[in-house]
Amino acid sequence: MQTLSGIICRWHRVPFVIAADLASSLRDRGVPARKRRAAASGRSPDARHPATGRRVADILHVIGAGHFPPCDGSRCPAAPAQLAIPARKGLMRSCSERAKLLELGRQSCHPYNTFNAGEAPVTRPTIADLAEAAGVSVSTVNRMLSGKSRVRDATALRMRQSAEEIGFAGLDRTGNPAPGDLPRHRLGFLLQQSTREFYQLLGREIAAACRRRRDRIIDPFIEFADQLAPENVAGRLLALGRDCDAVAVIAADHPMIGEAIRELRGLGKPVVTYITDQSAPERAAFVGTDNWKLGRTAAWLISGMARGEGRVAVFIGHHRYHCQDTADAAFRSYMREHAPALVLDDSRPTLEDPGQACDMATALLKNAGELAGILVLGGGISGVLRAFRDVPADARRHIRLVCRDMGPDTRTGLTEGLVTAALCHPLEASSDALADAMVNAVGRASSIAPAMRIVPFEIVTPENV
């Protein structure tokens, strides 16, 4: 059943906020619901108030201060300004906005009403009116109406509320299709190690990116592989991919995982690699940063801040991670070219284990005098920081520690001055790019080459954390 406000708003073509005030006034005057509805819709203009015997249509007209035409087909007379209805708290934000809405109400008319000579015909609120009411630019309204680019949730909500208040009728039809009209996708995401806060943060950002989509509905299914053995990751990837339209994965490159990607592609389920790539040619896309530039940037930072000669250690999670191996090669390339005085140790795999990373860092710090820097390209930064805190500050002050990706442990290390710099994936931008790549991959022909979505990395230091 429609509300009284809705009946008044639809039948008399007045803004919703005015209709709500009129409906409230009728209720306050004790008019029964049945007679209120009959009078509001014009079906029974002779309905009488039970207490005063006056016509409900007359009451409706008087409390509307002339902005609500009578229901008997007569011309709307002028009404005293002091009879104007009061604004209810929270419905209108300023006197100027109320005056504008009342002017819209004055121009609105009953279907059978006629205008006085010289009066302007009724006009609908324009895009400029909506922009002014919502406190946004006209271009923001146009972007929301077109649906081609995203508008922040808070801004979109404010615009919808303002559109309802001023009677702007085009927003929902053009800019916000009904949920039933939007395409729907089930997207799966296989991340690593649920015990690591970084991957939990990554999962939350991915879910938020799926919710930000305005052109379709995305149901994200986020899972974590705590056991990183390739047979376990491949099995989890197959199980998740069979239940979803597309799946994204973070995993070391291995033939078993490549075979799982190939099998899913044969089922019409595209696989997108995230952060670290795979060698399987059947993958649909890669979303991540430029790891060659990341490695050379890390070398530039350490070589530029190191004091004279010394050793530099490199920690990687595993040799099979493309992103880490590429960054390691780029790091060594820069050092050979620009810092030959620094001696690079062989890469040390941490197997993504903070405990092992702590043991490795502790062994290095026993000869801290000759250590110039440490580059952590994989998991284990929390263990390295634990080892740093166990040695005196004077013994480690000259050591430059650079890592990648920003989790709570890295942020704490930056604020303490232990981490020199972190080279990070921008989580919001990369999550949006991932969701976009997966949507584009759904239904795409398998003959198309993998798409590459490169998101520039961020450099975070103790001074801009």
Side-chain angles (χ1 to χ4, degrees):
M1 179 180 293
Q2 294 191 19
T3 63
L4 179 62
S5 303
I7 293 174
I8 296 174
C9 183
R10 187 187 74 256
W11 185 261
H12 297 275
R13 299 204 302 260
V14 296
F16 178 80
V17 65
I18 295 178
D21 281 335
L22 291 168
S24 176
S25 299
L26 276 179
R27 284 191 293 268
D28 294 342
R29 290 168 181 262
V31 179
R34 181 176 58 81
K35 293 185 177 181
R36 289 200 305 263
R37 292 178 183 276
S41 64
R43 292 193 303 268
S44 179
D46 294 326
R48 301 284 174 171
H49 191 284
T52 64
R54 296 181 58 191
R55 290 196 317 161
V56 174
D58 294 337
I59 298 174
L60 197 63
H61 170 60
V62 170
I63 63 175
H67 304 299
F68 202 125
C71 295
D72 56 2
S74 62
R75 190 157 51 87
C76 179
Q82 61 267 28
L83 292 179
I85 54 176
R88 290 195 296 170
K89 183 179 180 181
L91 282 178
M92 287 182 268
R93 293 179 293 278
S94 66
C95 292
S96 61
E97 184 178 347
R98 175 170 173 75
K100 179 184 294 185
L101 292 175
L102 288 176
E103 176 63 18
L104 288 172
R106 188 188 67 78
Q107 294 177 358
S108 301
C109 66
H110 189 280
Y112 304 112
N113 189 41
T114 58
F115 287 102
N116 288 325
E119 280 192 336
V122 60
T123 58
R124 293 183 178 182
T126 64
I127 290 177
D129 295 331
L130 176 58
E132 182 179 353
V136 299
S137 65
V138 172
S139 62
T140 301
V141 178
N142 285 329
R143 283 194 293 117
M144 185 163 179
L145 288 172
S146 67
K148 295 181 179 179
S149 58
R150 289 184 297 274
V151 177
R152 292 185 179 276
D153 290 344
T155 303
L157 177 61
R158 189 167 71 249
M159 290 168 62
R160 282 192 287 269
Q161 291 173 341
S162 300
E164 184 178 10
E165 290 175 2
I166 69 173
F168 187 89
L171 189 63
D172 287 340
R173 288 200 304 268
T174 307
N176 292 284
D181 298 334
L182 294 174
R184 192 171 197 133
H185 300 300
R186 293 166 58 92
L187 302 183
F189 303 87
L190 183 59
L191 310 182
Q192 295 188 350
Q193 296 175 312
S194 60
T195 56
R196 287 178 58 183
E197 182 60 31
F198 170 72
Y199 286 112
Q200 292 289 342
L201 177 61
L202 203 60
R204 292 193 291 270
E205 287 292 339
I206 289 172
C210 293
R211 291 194 299 268
R212 284 194 290 268
R213 298 288 299 214
R214 291 288 177 265
D215 58 339
R216 63 197 65 237
I217 299 173
I218 298 179
D219 298 321
F221 293 85
I222 301 173
E223 297 186 2
F224 300 86
D226 291 319
Q227 299 296 325
L228 301 182
E231 57 271 16
N232 179 63
V233 175
R236 296 285 300 276
L237 180 61
L238 283 171
L240 183 60
R242 290 191 182 104
D243 294 334
C244 298
D245 299 317
V247 63
V249 62
I250 300 176
D253 188 23
H254 192 276
M256 297 182 69
I257 299 174
E259 182 61 30
I261 294 174
R262 186 175 301 110
E263 183 175 340
L264 287 174
R265 191 61 180 177
L267 297 174
K269 306 298 182 70
V271 177
V272 176
T273 57
Y274 186 39
I275 295 180
T276 184
D277 204 1
Q278 296 279 325
S279 59
E282 292 81 9
R283 69 198 188 282
F286 164 70
V287 178
T289 194
D290 188 326
N291 291 290
W292 185 263
K293 288 183 178 180
L294 186 146
R296 290 183 67 88
T297 301
W300 180 82
L301 288 167
I302 291 179
S303 63
M305 297 181 178
R307 57 178 197 185
E309 300 178 352
R311 295 167 52 213
V312 178
V314 179
F315 290 3
I316 62 175
H318 196 281
H319 293 291
R320 284 188 175 272
Y321 286 107
H322 270 219
C323 62
Q324 299 174 17
D325 204 41
T326 302
D328 185 16
F331 182 82
R332 296 176 185 278
S333 170
Y334 182 95
M335 288 296 193
R336 286 193 302 269
E337 183 180 356
H338 298 287
L342 294 174
V343 179
L344 299 181
D345 292 351
D346 289 339
S347 301
R348 295 172 166 85
T350 65
L351 302 181
E352 305 288 321
D353 181 9
Q356 184 163 335
C358 180
D359 295 339
M360 291 161 49
T362 300
L364 286 171
L365 290 171
K366 290 180 179 179
N367 297 317
E370 60 184 36
L371 188 63
I374 298 177
L375 172 63
V376 183
L377 290 173
I381 184 61
S382 59
V384 175
L385 291 173
R386 196 185 319 148
F388 266 54
R389 295 186 182 102
D390 290 340
V391 300
D394 292 339
R396 55 173 163 77
R397 183 171 288 116
H398 66 283
I399 301 174
R400 305 307 172 197
L401 176 59
V402 175
C403 64
R404 63 179 299 163
D405 290 322
M406 175 69 73
D409 294 320
T410 304
R411 184 175 294 276
T412 301
L414 284 164
T415 57
E416 293 176 354
L418 300 178
V419 178
T420 304
L423 310 180
C424 311
H425 286 85
L427 294 185
E428 181 175 337
S430 60
S431 298
D432 287 338
L434 176 61
D436 189 60
M438 296 178 73
V439 167
N440 292 339
V442 174
R444 193 175 63 178
S446 59
S447 60
I448 299 178
M452 306 296 289
R453 299 290 297 272
I454 303 301
V455 182
F457 58 87
E458 298 175 339
I459 303 176
V460 184
T461 72
E463 296 302 320
N464 70 338
V465 63

